[in-house]
Amino acid sequence: MLLLKDFIIENIHKKGKITFAEFMQIALYHPQYGYYNSDKERIGKSGDYYTSPTVHKIFGELIAKQLEEMWRIMGERKFTIVEMGANRGWMCYDIFRHAQKEYPAFYEHLHYIIVESNPCVREKQRLLLESLHLIPDKKVSWHAYAEHGFSFDAIQGCFLSNEFVDALPVHRIKINKGILKEIYVGYNDKEFIEIEDGVSTQELKNLLKYYQIHHLKENQGYEINLNAIQWLKHVSEKLHKGFIITIDYGDTFDGIYRGNNSNGTLRCFYRHTVNQDYYEHPGEQDITAHVDFTSLMNAGKTCGLKKTGFAKQSHFLIALGILERLNNDIDTVLKAKNLLHPEGMGTIFKVLVQHKNISNPHLTGLRPLHSITI
Ligand SMILES: C[S@@+](CC[C@H](N)C(=O)[O-])C[C@H]1O[C@@H](n2cnc3c(N)ncnc32)[C@H](O)[C@@H]1O
């Protein structure tokens, strides 16, 4: 998109160079031309990629099952779900529809806050949820999340997200001849270029001290998601009591960088193909990096969140009973397979559950699977 490219170039000219996180912020979230602020379909068959809620409703239904158990653990009181980056509202729809049918007492106590930065999808969410009579019953409300935090009071319940964290802008760093460097984006009057220089913020330096720079591999590209850490701190401020379920692709820090990915995990998705041409089609393709769940666990510890458990998506869904729910409907079986398969979403996607002000909760989705191998 030419206008967006010009806007990025103008920014680079003003500052000399911008961090990769700034580039990604503009490409994905420019108010007019950003990838995620568009009316265009980004997810699903006519978009660039699929997400679990768009694969099959069974995903949202099993999340509803887990949420209902959390509600019971918390004493069956008012329970607020805050969904980050809900996009068209598919998961919200599946959770409510399943709760109405299977868990009427839970449904009575349920309130849902949708936090989605794309203004173009609000009407689509409203239309989708209308058939469940949620809006006249004031079951759903909409709020914003920005740098200073959330626009609602503290809740009891659960913060929930699927593929939200991977969509947050990341800084890129590497060690070059023993010296810590950040990768910036410049422009040479023909094309975008990458420039290595000292790291841009103290926050980044502090975080890297934690990872002990000398343990980082020479010339390995790393993505650092400061926005995710900041977001988790804001979540903790607004969670009086309850859980946080973060579902995304990624792994622990060691798990991500153990493998053969010396350029890091940054990828672009464009019409169901993957590429590493980050500077092509700005505003027209998704840019995303694997989620470093270790950083979320560590950040959680510093702001009063305890780790309930961490599992592969396949483990979580099997523990919640996905296999028992597969009937002879071939369509359900094939789609569920995508959610579970080691080479599909089953292994690469992880579920991190954290909790606050609850003592030692045990959740069905995190129970050990003695009898089933995945
Ligand atoms: C990869 S999509 C995932 C959509 C959906 N959760 C799903 O699984 O299909 C990421 C979503 O996060 C939203 N998002 C990104 N930053 C946000 C923010 N600061 N506040 C609210 N939503 C945000 C994007 O607009 C986008 O809809």
Side-chain angles (χ1 to χ4, degrees):
M1 191 178 288
L2 249 168
L3 284 167
L4 191 62
K5 191 174 171 188
D6 289 343
F7 181 79
I8 299 171
I9 294 170
E10 199 184 305
N11 257 272
I12 293 174
H13 281 154
K14 265 191 222 151
K15 299 182 179 174
K17 60 184 185 308
I18 57 176
T19 63
F20 190 84
E22 287 174 293
F23 172 83
M24 196 166 157
Q25 176 70 37
I26 302 171
L28 298 184
Y29 300 108
H30 180 278
Q32 245 180 311
Y33 307 114
Y35 178 82
Y36 277 119
N37 275 337
S38 154
D39 199 18
K40 281 194 194 152
E41 212 62 81
R42 299 304 192 191
I43 305 171
K45 197 173 172 192
S46 56
D48 297 313
Y49 57 94
Y50 288 98
T51 59
S52 297
T54 59
V55 168
H56 199 278
K57 64 179 181 183
I58 204 164
F59 181 79
E61 291 176 357
L62 290 167
I63 301 286
K65 182 174 175 181
Q66 185 55 89
L67 292 164
E68 193 267 347
E69 184 185 49
M70 290 172 168
W71 166 72
R72 278 187 283 114
I73 290 171
M74 287 171 60
E76 307 189 7
R77 302 204 174 89
K78 181 181 176 189
F79 191 91
T80 301
I81 300 169
V82 181
E83 188 187 345
M84 290 300 306
N87 204 276
R88 296 272 296 267
W90 302 288
M91 187 153 65
C92 175
Y93 178 83
D94 291 334
I95 289 172
F96 263 119
R97 208 192 30 185
H98 197 61
Q100 278 178 339
K101 205 166 132 231
E102 299 293 330
Y103 311 117
F106 173 49
Y107 175 77
E108 281 305 307
H109 291 83
L110 204 52
H111 180 73
Y112 209 103
I113 296 178
I114 290 182
V115 184
E116 169 52 62
S117 54
N118 182 351
C120 307
V121 292
R122 173 80 67 93
E123 183 57 13
K124 291 173 183 161
Q125 292 165 350
R126 207 186 55 75
L127 284 173
L128 182 68
L129 300 174
E130 214 169 52
S131 61
L132 302 177
H133 305 290
L134 304 171
I135 293 154
D137 291 348
K138 299 197 167 43
K139 285 280 193 194
V140 181
S141 55
W142 281 264
H143 281 272
Y145 172 67
E147 261 170 74
H148 51 272
F150 291 96
S151 59
F152 51 83
D153 294 333
I155 60 121
Q156 300 207 29
C158 182
F159 278 79
L160 171 66
S161 67
N162 183 65
E163 287 208 48
F164 163 69
V165 178
D166 75 76
L168 297 174
V170 291
H171 291 264
R172 295 173 64 201
I173 58 139
K174 62 163 52 171
I175 307 286
N176 192 346
K177 299 194 180 98
I179 298 168
L180 180 62
K181 296 283 183 191
E182 179 161 359
I183 297 172
Y184 294 79
V185 183
Y187 189 71
N188 66 3
D189 289 331
K190 224 171 84 203
E191 57 187 2
F192 291 115
I193 49 168
E194 294 187 346
I195 301 167
E196 276 183 27
D197 206 347
V199 291
S200 56
T201 70
Q202 188 58 40
E203 225 181 333
L204 208 48
K205 280 185 200 155
N206 294 345
L207 189 77
L208 291 166
K209 252 189 230 155
Y210 188 88
Y211 282 121
Q212 297 169 307
I213 296 173
H214 52 281
H215 284 155
L216 298 179
K217 289 183 262 179
E218 182 80 17
N219 268 324
Q220 163 74 54
Y222 294 96
E223 292 90 19
I224 308 287
N225 194 334
L226 293 179
N227 287 300
I229 294 169
Q230 181 69 3
W231 163 73
L232 200 64
K233 288 185 178 152
H234 285 136
V235 166
S236 181
E237 274 166 30
K238 291 293 179 181
L239 183 65
H240 175 61
K241 177 179 176 179
F243 294 89
I244 302 160
I245 305 180
T246 307
I247 308 172
D248 222 311
Y249 47 89
D251 208 333
T252 57
F253 184 83
D254 289 341
I256 293 177
Y257 297 108
R258 185 192 303 131
N260 189 14
N261 59 357
S262 55
N263 277 333
T265 69
L266 201 63
R267 299 285 182 274
C268 302
F269 286 86
Y270 185 60
R271 300 181 184 162
H272 294 279
T273 58
V274 188
N275 69 71
Q276 287 186 282
D277 303 325
Y278 319 129
Y279 309 108
E280 289 295 308
H281 321 289
E284 286 299 315
Q285 64 176 2
D286 190 20
I287 310 175
T288 162
H290 278 38
V291 173
D292 166 13
F293 282 97
T294 303
S295 74
L296 293 182
M297 294 177 214
N298 289 338
K301 275 187 218 156
T302 66
C303 60
L305 302 173
K306 295 208 163 92
K307 184 177 108 181
T308 325
F310 179 60
K312 290 176 191 161
Q313 174 165 297
S314 54
H315 178 120
F316 191 69
L317 298 179
I318 290 169
L320 284 167
I322 193 169
L323 299 179
E324 292 83 339
R325 288 174 48 118
L326 296 180
N327 43 32
N328 289 330
D329 170 18
I330 189 73
D331 182 59
T332 308
V333 173
L334 288 176
K335 286 179 175 158
K337 208 173 125 192
N338 283 323
L339 298 173
L340 299 175
H341 200 280
E343 277 162 27
M345 293 164 145
T347 300
I348 193 161
F349 276 74
K350 307 290 188 307
V351 182
L352 172 65
V353 186
Q354 292 161 297
H355 63 271
K356 184 173 175 184
N357 293 334
I358 301 174
S359 119
N360 201 17
H362 291 281
L363 300 178
T364 300
L366 298 170
R367 74 190 158 101
L369 300 176
H370 297 302
S371 53
I372 307 164
T373 42
I374 34 172

